[in-house]
């Protein structure tokens, strides 16, 4: 009887020590898993950013048309009246805000701009460098959309024959006003693992977020007759949105991935 009690005590102590080692090992494994997940998140700079759905922004054409419709008088205006009515000049802050609310434009807007160039990946450093100029031909604005309809007559005809042979172009440009600072170039560096870079598969775009501010919107139509240097009849419509930009992201739109939220605009 006297030998049973020490044996029981020894057995309980052995079990307690074993439990301590098991719990310690489990805790170490859990901590390692947490550290691994944290490292992966830091490595790719992707936090709650992956989605099975494509990343869709606001349609610049739809935004422009809403602004035009809000600033065009009711009734059946002539073509000339409609062109003159394209220029939106708010008479007061109160009326302008009312126009925005009526057109569902008082909310934050997001525009997605494709990036055909300006992205470079260093496989050794796992670093993606962003250096993208969004100004196009005009450094005063960030181009959201540019479409050209019609053939060019350059090197095909001379100026007097351009119209008769159908060399007529209509160019539509929708852009964000870059204000006086003319910041239209997107810069940034992103740390991406090779796996995340491969998953993006070259599908990169810039997401620009912000809200409309006075004077909100302007529209300009320019026409140039054919010349010997450019034997094309060209009509250019430039629609400008005045946006206070709050964030610039790098995304992979078709894969629903946000790759960086720390890009910046500069000249």
């Amino acid at each position: 009887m006297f030998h049973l009690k020490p044996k029981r005590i020894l057995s309980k102590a052995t079990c307690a020590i074993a439990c301590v080692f098991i719990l310690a090992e489990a805790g170490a494994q859990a901590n390692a898993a947490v550290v691994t997940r944290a490292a992966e998140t830091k490595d790719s700079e992707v936090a709650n950013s992956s989605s099975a759905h494509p990343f869709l922004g606001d349609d610049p054409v739809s935004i422009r048309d809403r602004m035009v419709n809000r600033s065009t008088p009711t009734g059946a205006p002539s073509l000339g009246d409609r062109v003159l009515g394209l220029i939106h000049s708010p008479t007061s802050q109160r009326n302008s805000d009312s126009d925005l609310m009526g057109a569902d434009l008082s909310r934050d807007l997001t525009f997605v701009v494709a990036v055909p160039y300006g992205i470079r990946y260093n496989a050794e450093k796992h670093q993606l460098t962003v250096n993208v100029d969004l100004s196009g031909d005009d450094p005063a604005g960030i181009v959201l959309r540019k479409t050209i309809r019609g053939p060019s007559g350059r090197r095909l005809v001379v100026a007097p024959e351009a119209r008769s042979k159908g060399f007529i172009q209509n160019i539509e440009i929708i852009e964000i006003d870059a204000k006086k600072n003319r910041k239209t170039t997107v810069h940034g560096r992103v740390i991406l693992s090779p796996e995340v870079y491969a998953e993006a598969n070259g599908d990169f775009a810039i997401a620009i977020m912000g809200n409309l501010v006075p004077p909100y919107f302007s529209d300009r139509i320019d026409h140039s007759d054919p010349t010997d240097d450019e034997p094309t009849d060209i009509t250019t419509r430039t629609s400008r949105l005045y946006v206070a930009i709050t964030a610039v992201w790098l995304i992979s739109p078709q894969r629903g991935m946000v790759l960086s939220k720390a890009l910046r605009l500069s000249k």
Side-chain angles (χ1 to χ4, degrees), residues 28 42 58 83 98 100-101 105 125 168 173 178 180 209 224:
K42 183 179 180 180
D58 289 285
V83 170
S98 177
L100 292 181
M101 294 180 63
L105 296 177
K125 297 181 179 180
I168 301 173
I173 301 172
K180 295 181 180 180
M209 282 148 278
S224 60

Side-chain angles (χ1 to χ4, degrees), residues 180-193:
K180 295 181 180 180
N181 54 30
R182 295 180 180 268
K183 292 183 177 181
T184 59
T185 302
V186 179
H187 289 291
R189 293 181 179 178
V190 185
I191 300 300
L192 292 182
S193 68

Side-chain angles (χ1 to χ4, degrees), residues 112-168:
V112 177
V113 183
V115 179
Y117 59 89
I119 301 290
R120 184 176 59 186
Y121 184 66
N122 187 319
E124 295 182 358
K125 297 181 179 180
H126 299 172
Q127 186 178 81
L128 193 74
T129 303
V130 181
N131 184 17
V132 180
D133 183 9
L134 301 178
S135 65
D137 298 330
D138 183 4
I142 296 173
V143 177
L144 302 177
R145 177 185 172 91
K146 181 177 182 179
T147 59
I148 301 176
R149 297 181 178 87
S152 172
R154 183 173 292 184
R155 297 182 181 179
L156 298 176
V157 298
V158 293
E161 299 177 351
R163 294 191 187 96
S164 62
K165 291 191 175 182
F167 291 101
I168 301 173

Side-chain angles (χ1 to χ4, degrees), residues 16-17 55 61-62 64 68 85 95 101 113 118 129 142 151-152 163 176 194 199-200 227-228 241 262 267:
I17 293 173
F55 193 107
V61 176
S62 177
R64 179 199 64 189
V68 170
N95 292 337
M101 294 180 63
V113 183
T129 303
I142 296 173
S152 172
R163 294 191 187 96
I176 293 176
E199 184 180 354
T227 64
D228 292 335
L241 301 174
K267 294 182 179 180

Side-chain angles (χ1 to χ4, degrees), residues 70-84:
R70 296 300 297 180
S71 60
T72 302
T74 59
S78 65
L79 178 60
D81 291 338
R82 185 166 178 80
V83 170
L84 291 175

Side-chain angles (χ1 to χ4, degrees), residues 3 88-89 106 138 143 165 174 188 203 263 265:
H3 296 287
H88 183 64
S89 302
S106 58
D138 183 4
V143 177
K165 291 191 175 182
I174 303 177
D203 175 38
L263 301 184
L265 282 170

